[in-house]
Amino acid sequence: VLFLLGLYFVLSVIAVVKVKPLWAKGVVLLVALLLPTADAVYGRYKLKQMCAAEGGLKVYRVAENVQGFAGVATSDVWIKEYGFQFSEGERAKGKYYRISKQNNQIIVEENITPKSQYQVISVKTRGKAQYWKNAYVVQDMQGEVLAEDTQISFRGGWAERFLGQFADAGVGTVASCPNQETRSWFRLVNIVTNILKH
């Protein structure tokens, strides 16, 4: 990495020295300074536009009298802390379970037939794209979307991604939608408690 940075610096100095007119030297220097960061600057600008258009919580309909729901983060927390009567999940393909409260005790029922009318799913778009999207979607069992909370992250310009390969954690995100909750659990609680009313 240091070798490549040094080589880039040397080539930039040679280019500035070789160019004759003073105005051209300024242009070459400006290009040399902007070249490693231009896509990072544009990427952050595009992120801001994407966040305004697609990011954050979008509510299309609120469901009333919801006893419980299926989907991500099936837990007794929904019963103990948020007042739902049950929470359902899928252990394996076609094998469902339900957590509920009966006689003041939390019980887990296995191999049940789901009775949820609503589900909360997590949709992640990752891979090698420069922008990662992570959304929680509340929908009914027929697929109608009631609400979605989308967080968009930018992985950086080419120089940031290149240098990130040498870090222990690898290439990560360098920017996310501003003024949005980034912690997954709080986003999940927010969308569930605001959309599924019991």
Side-chain angles (χ1 to χ4, degrees):
V1 174
L2 292 176
F3 172 76
L4 291 174
L5 290 173
L7 181 63
Y8 185 79
F9 177 75
V10 169
L11 291 175
S12 299
V13 169
I14 290 171
V16 170
V17 170
K18 292 247 182 211
V19 175
K20 296 296 179 203
L22 186 60
W23 66 269
K25 289 180 185 289
V27 169
V28 169
L29 182 61
L30 185 64
V31 168
L33 291 173
L34 291 179
L35 190 60
T37 61
D39 64 334
V41 172
Y42 174 73
R44 284 167 172 79
Y45 172 74
K46 185 177 175 185
L47 173 68
K48 187 175 180 183
Q49 291 180 319
M50 291 173 71
C51 290
E54 307 168 41
L57 177 63
K58 301 211 177 347
V59 178
Y60 309 110
R61 181 168 72 88
V62 173
E64 300 288 343
N65 302 316
V66 178
Q67 295 178 353
F69 63 94
V72 298
T74 303
S75 169
D76 61 354
V77 170
W78 299 112
I79 300 155
K80 291 177 179 176
E81 294 184 26
Y82 298 102
F84 289 98
Q85 294 177 16
F86 66 88
S87 176
E88 295 178 332
E90 187 175 20
R91 291 216 194 274
K93 189 70 174 164
K95 296 197 181 261
Y96 300 96
Y97 68 101
R98 180 182 303 120
I99 300 173
S100 61
K101 189 174 188 178
Q102 295 179 14
N103 300 323
N104 287 330
Q105 288 188 329
I106 300 295
I107 64 162
V108 178
E109 301 169 83
E110 299 289 345
N111 300 318
I112 54 103
T113 300
K115 63 180 182 180
S116 297
Q117 295 178 339
Y118 301 96
Q119 64 181 343
V120 182
I121 61 172
S122 175
V123 180
K124 294 181 181 180
T125 306
R126 295 233 169 141
K128 295 184 178 181
Q130 283 183 292
Y131 299 93
W132 285 354
K133 294 181 185 178
N134 180 4
Y136 286 115
V137 178
V138 177
Q139 62 187 24
D140 65 18
M141 289 306 186
Q142 289 71 45
E144 178 195 353
V145 174
L146 279 69
E148 52 193 343
D149 182 4
T150 305
Q151 176 66 40
I152 306 169
S153 301
F154 176 54
R155 296 180 66 216
W158 71 268
E160 291 167 307
R161 291 193 311 274
F162 174 75
L163 292 173
Q165 293 175 357
F166 299 97
D168 289 342
V171 179
T173 59
V174 296
S176 298
C177 292
N179 301 325
Q180 288 184 19
E181 178 62 65
T182 56
R183 293 170 295 181
S184 184
W185 175 252
F186 292 103
R187 288 177 51 228
L188 179 60
V189 168
N190 184 49
I191 195 169
V192 167
T193 57
N194 282 299
I195 307 308
L196 302 177
K197 303 288 188 181
H198 47 82

